[in-house]
Amino acid sequence: MTEVSIEQLTKDYGQGPAVDGISVRIAEGEFISLLGPSGCGKTTTLKMIAGFEDATRGAIRFDGRDVVHVPVEKRDIGMVFQNYALFPHMTVERNLAFGLEMRKIPKTEIRDRIAKVLDMVQLTGYAERYPRQLSGGQQQRVALARALVIEPKILLLDEPLANLDAKLREEMRVFIRDLQRRVGITTVYVTHDQAEAMTMSDRVVVMFGGRIAQIGAPSDIYERPANLEVAEFVGQVNIVRGKVVNSIVSTPLGDVPVVGHYADGADITLALRPEAVELLPVTAGVAGVPAKVLSSYYSGSLVDYRLELANGTIVNVQTFPRTRFRDGETVLVHAPADRFWPLGSVA
Amino acid sequence: MSKPFFTVYCLVIYAFLLAPILVVVGASFNAGAFLTFPPQGLSFRWYGVFFNNEVFMRAIRTSLWIAAVTTVISGIIGTMAAIFYVQHSGKLKETVRIAMLAPLLLPEVLTAISLLFFVYSIGVGTQTMVGMIVGHVLITLPFVFINVSASMESYDPAWSMAAQSLGAGRFTRFRRIMLPLIKPGVIGGCLFAFIISFDIFTISFMLKNVGTSTLPIQLFDYLRTNFTPEAAAVSTCSIVLTLVVVVVSEKVLGLRIHRF
Amino acid sequence: MSAVAGKRLGPLLLIAPAAILLTAFLVLPYLNIVLMSFRMPGQGTPYGPGLTLANYGKFFSDIFYIQQVVNTLWIGFVTTFACLVLGYPVAWQLARGTSSLRALGYGLVLSPLLVGIVIRSYGWTILLGNNGLINRTLMGWGLIDGPLPLMYNALGIIIALVHVFLPFMILPIMSAIQGIDPSLEAAARSLGASKLTAFRRITLPLSLPGIQAGCILVFVLSLSAYVTPSLIGGLRVKTMAVTVVDALIDTFQWPFGSAMALVLSVTGAIFVVLFGRLTVMKWKA
């Protein structure tokens, strides 16, 4: 198992940095995701870790050894590509044997290791198939097996689920996560899909414009986003602005006490996740802010509401569909004060 | 235009395209001493004359030898250039494409003249085959380039990257991954280069070595003064040779040859 | 060498042989022709010392050469036009036709390219000669009394050139038509255009790039053709390319031959550029 440490890593193609001095330490056996919109530098970072791109500045250390000048083929990485990149002229077995042959592993051992890895990805019996004879999910698993069979120091995955249909994608998330836990390999996973990053990773690195916006466990990223950009990229969010007076912010959804160093009179932005808000029918004696239902979207397990407060503020709310409200109906909105998360002062 | 008329029209054009070739093949079986119509009986007489004509046999050997050398050189240079071409984009890519196709777009007669002067001005002259082979390589290069770059279009660069991530060095990546996957294009391009080289006339005519002629030159010289069906027999053998190469490559090796 | 420099150099090594070959044996020799056309004619040698404009003077002061350039251009125009008219329907059928003839047709269009030009021209001498197949047949049927003059004139040269270059017209047009979305024509039909109108207003203009490429290719090839005109035209009708090659090979007039070749090339290039201007396609970026 390998610890990967990235220090001040920078890539500049000549028109400003694509990756701008990022630093991360990835622990042995950790599953880390690089999450961000396209063009944020996540794929470039992965390619630099793999060695396909040269770093303009900075260091990449595998167990303390700087590998920046080590060519890809000597870096001992396992990589899964977006379109799998299975060699079309080779059977599954030949694909899996390729990396082992490069390492001059004896034939008998190659056979044993292929059998073992095929069992691991549940493809025993598919050794003689050609890639085009496999389904998308099967190709995906062969690509994983090919990267793992060489027992690399780290596993790199570049949006590996992007080409699969929705149902298969969810299955593969669980499959890859479980496999990674069993093998215990240090893993870097690139994706633009926040749900993927959240469900699979130990930690998520959120990137914008070549810089790291936040590093943290999925729950940190979701519940305690570092800034507005992160909050909006990771799931839906209501943004509420207000002034701090005596450590209390008055918002259209009620007063929110804020802890921390906020000067009186400072403008502050608060994030409120739609599912943190409760909706109640208008009944005498129940506290809440009245709001009108503009529209609702039913998706089976959940309902999304779009509401308008008396002052015109729009609030998005997600609830279980136990009680349904009709469009145009007036409801009471209750947002617990501890579910607001401050995103720092408004500039 | 009505459909049957249209079909007939196309058939007429196809017949026009094939006519002179069929006529040559037909004439080769003429038993008479001259190309007369109707033929004076069928025979293989002129094939016998041809096979015993040392001048033609030597020309065929020369042509085959030059075509073989040309194919090897053109195949290697053209394949390398095609690999470079598909790995780049933008202005450089377009420049490479135009440069590589230039020998095909420039008039062959002008290229031949320029090479003739050039081999003399650099002191090589036509005593050696150098000028002739250079000319053949120039003319055949675009065909290798077109075929290899066409097969490179369906080559996913991620295959090379995957091989590299698995520990394969530059040479191994080329030999084990890229070459097997672009092989149809390389073989197709080389076969085309061979056929084209075998048929090149103007370049060979201007740059020929004294005493050694290729088959097209020998045939041309012969036709200027002789009218026997021997020339038809020679031509037919040349056509059959080409046909065998094409049929073998398309049917046996299952290749698709790209010309444009 | 550092890893970075190695990565930069690697791809350049791929293109280096082709670049060297094309520079040394195509670019430099072509420039050399220009120089050669200004050299002094030699006595017993291909060229003498010193530079002169006399080669061009000799060319333009002789009506014989001017006439030959005009003849060559005329043959080029007629050949190109005939190839376009004869080839377009075939190209359309190869691109769009549904009949089983398509695969066969493609092979038939390609196959002449695989037969040497000497052999194909030879075939035409057999067909067109005074004792050739065509004249013999027509006389045999009693349709004509004496042989029609099909060889040793411009008509024979054009017939043979059309045959030789027709595939070069058909193939680019075919790929241009293949690149046109058939639903465009369907859309025109749905808007009320007849089949012919849909073709004339949609398919034909969109296939212009192929027509342009084919016409330029055939025109340039016709101007520079040597084998076909010299076998069919014999000594009686000479095109410019034949005169040039003879001047170089038979009489070793290298400077004068170069001047003639350049005049022909520049004239041809002017017409190609003019043609390009006339067929500018504004919808193409």
Side-chain angles (χ1 to χ4, degrees), chain C residues 75 79 83 156-166 221-222 225 228-229:
Chain C
I75 288 174
T79 304
C83 280
I157 294 178
I158 289 169
I159 291 175
L161 283 180
V162 167
H163 170 259
V164 169
F165 298 134
L166 194 53
L221 287 170
S222 311
T228 309

Side-chain angles (χ1 to χ4, degrees), chain A residues 73 83 86 89 101 103, chain B residues 156 159 161 164-166 176:
Chain A
E73 59 265 36
N83 55 2
L86 296 178
H89 61 309
E101 287 164 9
R103 285 161 176 73
Chain B
D156 185 348
W159 290 328
M161 289 166 78
Q164 199 179 3
S165 77
L166 292 167
R176 298 260 330 249

Side-chain angles (χ1 to χ4, degrees), chain A residues 47 52 72-73 77-79 81 83-90 94-95 98-99 101-103 146-147 150, chain B residues 154-170 172-173 175-181:
Chain A
K47 283 185 169 172
F52 290 116
V72 179
E73 59 265 36
I77 51 157
M79 183 148 175
F81 294 80
N83 55 2
Y84 324 130
L86 296 178
F87 306 131
H89 61 309
M90 297 183 186
R94 302 316 308 156
N95 264 283
F98 188 85
E101 287 164 9
M102 294 301 116
R103 285 161 176 73
R146 187 177 66 178
I150 56 174
Chain B
S154 55
Y155 182 82
D156 185 348
W159 290 328
S160 287
M161 289 166 78
Q164 199 179 3
S165 77
L166 292 167
R170 185 172 301 196
T172 311
R173 293 200 297 274
R175 194 178 56 85
R176 298 260 330 249
I177 310 295
M178 189 184 282
L179 193 58
L181 286 168

